[in-house]
Amino acid sequence: VNINGQSALTDALGNFTSTQQFGTPRISLTGVTILPRSVSAAVNTSRTVNLDAIALGGSFDPVLYRQMVRNAADGTGNEPLRRWTRTPQIYLKTVDEAGEAIHGPMLDLIEATIRSAVPQWTSGALGTPMITRGTGSQLGVPGWITVRFPATNMLLDGFCGRADVGLEGGFIELNYHGPDVNGSTCRTSATVVAARTVRHELGHALGFWHTDNPSDLMARGGWSQSQANMQPSARELLHAAIAYRRPVGNTFPDDDPLTAVNLAPMRAQ
Ligand SMILES: [Zn+2]
């Protein structure tokens, strides 16, 4: 353990003792079996500091974590953590962006999928969301995610949906219109919107980026009909749960911010 440039050794249980000036020293945890960790701790009296670190060598995969949490598959691999700190409320639009009604059974499927997928993606860190239906929106309203349906065929741009990543007041867009394009489709034999697409876009909305493994729900690119009702993989859920035990703004490899941070909005497809 390194505190303000001074080293202290932990015992077998991880306990350590350090003497600091009053202030907010930076505490770094390093070791061959953990992902390097750095946090700040306010010091104004004698106190016990409880810190956790991510164990290496077990089921944790640093490559996957960097893809899901840092946008390594498509972007920099250094994005700060974006996630929700409270269960979002969902505003489910009942009309598309041109005012045409969405099929009722389709709305029922989307609603049921979101209700189960929020606690699932976060391993219970977030609860089952309240879902409100209507023809307006809650865009830009903190605490809300708006689910809407563009009037155009999103597949012409190459995707079945897109979402603001971990953004309060952001949106999820689902493709509801248009024919198949070059043999690819967003539909299933039974539904216009695949449950897979809802869970994938919700994964983005909860703060996760793409992986490069086709057997993951957050895999980028196309999917086959056999994956139309796909669930998050066990490894995705494990790494998502770790992210939901870290504060917003946690950075690579595992550094908590000094204070609360405001992150610029980003969007994924
Ligand atoms: Zn995506």
Side-chain angles (χ1 to χ4, degrees):
V1 180
N2 187 293
I3 311 110
N4 260 352
Q6 303 169 31
S7 289
L9 281 177
T10 64
D11 66 18
L13 294 175
N15 297 314
F16 63 91
T17 302
S18 168
T19 304
Q20 297 289 322
Q21 304 291 320
F22 287 171
T24 309
R26 199 70 179 164
I27 303 174
S28 300
L29 303 177
T30 55
V32 292
T33 60
I34 61 168
L35 200 63
R37 173 111 173 95
S38 178
V39 302
S40 297
V43 174
N44 46 29
T45 182
S46 179
R47 58 177 292 197
T48 298
V49 177
N50 293 312
L51 299 172
D52 65 345
I54 299 170
L56 300 173
S59 45
F60 178 77
D61 178 352
V63 174
L64 176 65
Y65 190 71
R66 204 163 180 190
Q67 291 176 348
M68 287 185 69
V69 175
R70 311 286 180 216
N71 197 18
D74 291 335
T76 65
N78 288 311
E79 287 299 331
L81 174 66
R82 294 151 198 272
R83 72 167 179 89
W84 285 75
T85 55
R86 52 180 167 170
T87 303
Q89 298 191 76
I90 307 295
Y91 192 89
L92 178 58
K93 292 199 68 171
T94 56
V95 294
D96 72 10
E97 294 306 291
E100 181 185 331
I102 305 297
H103 192 220
M106 187 72 258
L107 292 173
D108 293 343
L109 176 72
I110 292 169
E111 176 166 333
T113 303
I114 291 175
R115 284 175 59 86
S116 63
V118 170
Q120 179 188 29
W121 258 130
T122 62
S123 291
L126 303 180
T128 302
M130 282 187 18
I131 298 187
T132 303
R133 296 189 188 188
T135 57
S137 100
Q138 294 286 355
L139 282 179
V141 181
W144 288 84
I145 297 170
T146 296
V147 180
R148 66 181 184 182
F149 305 90
T152 55
N153 184 3
M154 301 174 76
L155 195 50
L156 290 171
D157 295 319
F159 45 89
C160 293
R162 61 177 188 159
D164 293 313
V165 178
L167 181 67
E168 297 248 352
F171 68 66
I172 291 172
E173 285 183 337
L174 301 170
N175 192 26
Y176 192 72
H177 286 288
D180 302 347
V181 177
N182 296 330
S184 69
T185 184
C186 295
R187 299 166 183 252
T188 75
S189 58
T191 61
V192 176
V193 179
R196 178 207 182 276
T197 303
V198 178
R199 288 191 198 98
H200 177 101
E201 299 307 328
L202 186 66
H204 286 313
L206 292 174
F208 306 124
W209 305 93
H210 286 148
T211 82
D212 63 1
N213 186 330
S215 59
D216 291 330
L217 178 55
M218 294 312 292
R220 75 156 94 76
W223 45 275
S224 65
Q225 285 294 310
S226 65
Q227 296 179 312
N229 191 31
M230 194 175 182
Q231 304 284 337
S233 62
R235 71 184 204 131
E236 288 178 291
L237 292 178
L238 182 118
H239 293 76
I242 292 172
Y244 264 79
R245 290 197 294 266
R246 290 291 181 262
V248 172
N250 172 282
T251 53
F252 179 85
D254 192 13
D255 297 344
D256 288 357
L258 193 57
T259 56
V261 294
N262 274 312
L263 300 172
M266 293 184 72
R267 193 164 287 162
Q269 295 155 2

